[in-house]
Amino acid sequence: NAGVTQTPKFRVLKTGQSMTLLCAQDMNHEYMYWYRQDPGMGLRLIHYSVGEGTTAKGEVPDGYNVSRLKKQNFLLGLESAAPSQTSVYFCASSPLAPSSYNEQFFGPGTRLTVL
Amino acid sequence: AQSVSQHNHHVILSEAASLELGCNYSYGGTVNLFWYVQYPGQHLQLLLKYFSGDPLVKGIKGFEAEFIKSKFSFNLRKPSVQWSDTAEYFCAVGGYNTDKLIFGTGTRLQVFP
């Protein structure tokens, strides 16, 4: 079991470029989440999905789009990258919502720098 | 508004010292509470969680946390820290009927030999 994997691990973009971050999980989890981690701000939820074909906005969704076409994959897109999107991005998955006595399992993160 | 506060931003300890990291939350209704740890260069891992029952929860690596409902707190403790406990620690709260977690800003712990 690989758990939660993220691709790529590192990326440098120029302002205005686009990219897609891929999250994959092999645990058959229903819920998937994208967070960004910034110094002194903890983890902030960008978007999440409660099942294949569903997406919902989190705390900081602006500038990002997501898709969950397959249950095991959750993609995070940046259409026009900005320096403010320089961050470490974490994907997580959960078999059920946290309210149902299940933890979130995190991926290793993607470090993105936007110049 | 729902929120989680971790007032200790950076804690420096010597090995064998005792640790207590504060976590307070603001949330209406029944909550589920978590502590996650992020070792340098690694992803977040669950340390422990509380959903109901005994308010004193024991987790991995000798950590424990106590849920005090009247104080809206879920403080993390360890009687004797080790150098390998150097990491960032995050408290998180999830409402019973929600599908998201709210994370605190984290506490960076440095343990010196």
Side-chain angles (χ1 to χ4, degrees):
Chain A
N1 261 359
V4 180
T5 58
Q6 293 183 231
T7 311
K9 289 185 170 52
F10 303 94
R11 186 72 185 269
V12 178
L13 290 179
K14 294 181 180 178
T15 298
Q17 288 185 316
S18 64
M19 79 162 294
T20 300
L21 282 68
L22 170 64
C23 175
Q25 53 94 3
D26 60 2
M27 298 175 283
N28 201 34
H29 286 175
E30 288 294 331
Y31 292 75
M32 297 188 75
Y33 307 82
W34 274 110
Y35 295 90
R36 59 178 290 172
Q37 182 182 26
D38 302 291
M41 304 192 75
L43 276 79
R44 293 182 291 169
L45 183 64
I46 304 171
H47 286 282
Y48 65 104
S49 168
V50 300
E52 182 178 317
T54 75
T55 62
K57 293 181 180 180
E59 183 186 356
V60 288
D62 294 342
Y64 305 95
N65 56 73
V66 287
S67 63
R68 183 102 182 264
L69 298 179
K70 293 183 179 180
K71 186 177 183 179
Q72 63 267 34
N73 296 338
F74 194 30
L75 284 78
L76 178 70
L78 286 74
E79 290 185 345
S80 179
S84 60
Q85 293 178 304
T86 293
S87 186
V88 180
Y89 292 85
F90 286 99
C91 177
S93 70
S94 175
L96 289 170
S99 61
S100 303
Y101 206 80
N102 283 283
E103 67 181 270
Q104 290 185 16
F105 294 80
F106 284 81
T110 295
R111 186 174 294 274
L112 174 66
T113 302
V114 182
L115 302 175
Chain B
Q2 302 155 5
S3 65
V4 177
S5 297
Q6 293 181 245
H7 302 294
N8 314 106
H9 298 296
H10 190 190
V11 174
I12 301 173
L13 294 173
S14 298
E15 275 192 321
S18 64
L19 170 72
E20 180 159 4
L21 301 182
C23 173
N24 288 91
Y25 64 91
S26 173
Y27 202 100
T30 304
V31 295
N32 302 312
L33 297 156
F34 304 80
W35 274 99
Y36 282 85
V37 61
Q38 184 179 28
Y39 297 104
Q42 295 189 27
H43 61 279
L44 275 79
Q45 304 169 44
L46 183 72
L47 262 183
L48 46 78
K49 57 190 174 187
Y50 171 82
F51 287 82
S52 63
D54 189 344
L56 186 61
V57 179
K58 294 193 184 298
I60 61 172
K61 304 188 180 186
F63 286 91
E64 64 179 31
E66 185 176 13
F67 171 51
I68 303 179
K69 188 175 182 179
S70 61
K71 294 185 178 180
F72 299 92
S73 70
F74 190 54
N75 292 353
L76 181 71
R77 300 195 292 248
K78 186 171 184 178
S80 176
V81 295
Q82 300 173 320
W83 176 79
S84 58
D85 293 325
T86 294
E88 190 152 17
Y89 293 81
F90 293 93
C91 181
V93 61
Y96 187 75
N97 292 320
T98 68
D99 44 25
K100 302 187 291 292
L101 289 180
I102 300 170
F103 283 84
T105 53
T107 297
R108 184 179 171 212
L109 172 65
Q110 282 185 289
V111 180
F112 289 96

